[in-house]
């Protein structure tokens, strides 16, 4: 059982006290992290009491403690899921061999890059979301935003622990760089482009936590399979927290749809202009935001055909999400039928198509929310259905990059595409309208007019609970 030592400066279940050098290195990094949080984390809420959960163990039952804290005093810690006895590599050319407790020399730079790329997204999203508190639709939502933010901060700790513990001086330098790059910075941007896009409104935030945090889930799931056991254990525990982030996205969009349907019923119309005039968000606008954030997140899986994905799998560094659901774990003779632009297609080695395999299972997972939202719309008696864009739509990586394709996946001319785009992704007017709705609502239990209240509160507390006490 992994108890967590809370008397230490850095709560952890990795026996940090027994490794003085590592402990000192991390205690040296800690004030840099806090400084980063102060400068780049949520603005102006440092003195607020926020009802947050904090990880206190990796037990399936009761791994979190709930209580009011000032965010700068949050106990960011290092928690790895319990080791699996005699764990063996579950895929690739070394399948069946014992997992690695240290980084094999030949994979050192690749593993470091994979960990840095994952780690970079965590503080990036905190930076992207730092202004959102000022326009929260309720205290419940404000608390959820901050919960996501502190946990992304903890995910940064998780990756920094691996860098410090297993990658020596290079790892320590990378840990500093993770605090030096900033989302949207002209000179030192974050590594992945989705994490440099500004986030100025809550519809985008809910789309981001629905689609982009779900990409995070898939990355973590593939690392949970890794032969590098400390990475696997780290990611297994991170997935526990990640589920809440996607919950925030899914229920956020559900509540917006619900409110829109109420207004449609009240006004007896589906005219977007009238719905907007009533302060709610029309369904076609929601669809455009879904198209935007889904397509942006699809690029995060990388190119359809990738020699890196092949090498990472063959070596055991990165598996497929839920690797055990597959029959073939080596993939040396499997092929994948890949559809390409201009009606062409090609059989490519399965090992080189793993990004696409992951993207497909990700899209399937994305359908869950769509089904729920559409059920609400159907029950309200409307014909419109929300949908996911095709994985070929608006891509900037891979064979479909820059190819004019409709959200349904049909290749069209450049002119048709340019013309269609304004009905497929948010226009400047859409964005201005959404902005116009963003006003801070901080009376306990009150909701902004464009979103319905949640079905229940946090941790069995009522919706009206004062989840954030502002001073
Ligand atoms: Fe995360
Ligand atoms: Fe997340």
């Amino acid at each position: 059982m992994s108890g967590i030592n809370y008397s230490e400066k850095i709560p952890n279940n990795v026996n940090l006290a027994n490794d003085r050098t590592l402990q000192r290195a991390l205690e040296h990094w800690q004030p840099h992290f806090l400084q980063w949080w102060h400068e780049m984390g949520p603005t102006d809420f440092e003195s607020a009491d926020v009802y947050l959960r904090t990880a206190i163990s990796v037990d399936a039952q009761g791994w979190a403690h709930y209580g009011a804290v000032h965010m700068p005093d949050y106990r960011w810690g290092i928690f790895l899921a319990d080791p699996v006895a005699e764990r063996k590599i579950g895929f690739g050319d070394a399948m069946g061999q014992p997992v690695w407790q240290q980084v094999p020399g030949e994979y050192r730079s690749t593993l470091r890059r994979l960990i840095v790329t994952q780690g970079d997204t965590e503080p990036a999203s905190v930076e992207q979301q730092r202004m959102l508190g000022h326009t929260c639709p309720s205290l419940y939502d404000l608390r959820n935003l901050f919960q996501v933010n502190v946990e992304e901060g903890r995910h940064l700790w998780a990756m920094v622990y691996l860098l410090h513990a297993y990658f020596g001086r290079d790892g320590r330098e990378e840990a500093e760089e993770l605090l030096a790059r900033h989302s949207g910075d002209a000179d030192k941007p974050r590594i992945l482009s989705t994490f440099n896009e500004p986030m100025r409104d809550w519809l985008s935030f809910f789309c981001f936590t629905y689609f982009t945090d779900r990409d995070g889930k898939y990355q973590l799931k593939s690392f949970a399979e890794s032969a590098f056991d400390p990475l696997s254990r780290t990611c297994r525990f991170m997935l526990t927290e990640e589920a809440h982030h996607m919950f925030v996205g899914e229920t956020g969009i559900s509540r917006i749809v619900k409110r829109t349907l109420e207004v449609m019923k009240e006004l007896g119309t589906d005219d977007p202009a009238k719905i907007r005039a009533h302060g709610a968000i029309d369904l076609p606008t929601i669809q455009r935001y879904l198209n935007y954030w889904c397509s942006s997140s699809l690029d995060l899986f990388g190119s359809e055909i990738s020699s890196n994905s092949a090498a990472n799998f063959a070596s055991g560094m990165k598996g497929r999400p839920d690797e055990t659901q597959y029959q073939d774990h080596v993939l040396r003779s499997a092929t994948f039928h890949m559809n390409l632009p201009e009606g062409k297609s090609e059989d490519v080695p399965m090992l080189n198509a793993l990004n696409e395999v992951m993207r497909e299972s990700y899209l399937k997972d994305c359908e869950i929310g769509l089904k729920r939202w559409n059920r609400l719309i159907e029950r309200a008696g409307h014909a419109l259905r929300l949908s996911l864009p095709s994985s070929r739509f608006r891509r900037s990586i891979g064979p479909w990059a820059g190819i004019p394709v409709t959200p349904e996946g049909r290749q069209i001319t450049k002119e048709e595409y340019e013309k269609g785009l304004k009905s497929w992704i948010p226009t400047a007017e859409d964005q201005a309208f959404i902005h116009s709705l963003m006003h801070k609502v901080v009376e306990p239990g009150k909701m902004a007019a464009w979103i319905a209240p949640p079905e229940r509160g946090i941790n069995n507390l009522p919706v009206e609970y004062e989840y954030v006490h502002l001073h």
Side-chain angles (χ1 to χ4, degrees), residues 122 148 152 155 213 242 245:
E122 314 286 359
V148 170
E152 300 306 5
H155 292 176
D213 280 275
E242 202 60 50
H245 308 181

Side-chain angles (χ1 to χ4, degrees), residues 32 37 41 59 67 92 137 139 146 174 209 268 313 331 344 364-365 419:
H32 302 182
W37 179 269
D59 239 3
L139 284 183
F146 293 156
E174 294 282 14
T209 41
F313 185 89
L331 304 179
K344 292 184 195 128
K364 235 179 251 157
D365 205 51
K419 253 180 79 188

Side-chain angles (χ1 to χ4, degrees), residues 155-173:
H155 292 176
L156 173 60
W157 271 97
M159 293 296 126
V160 164
Y161 163 71
L162 293 175
L163 290 169
H164 272 238
Y166 297 96
F167 294 89
R169 175 202 279 266
D170 297 351
R172 290 192 294 278
E173 282 170 8

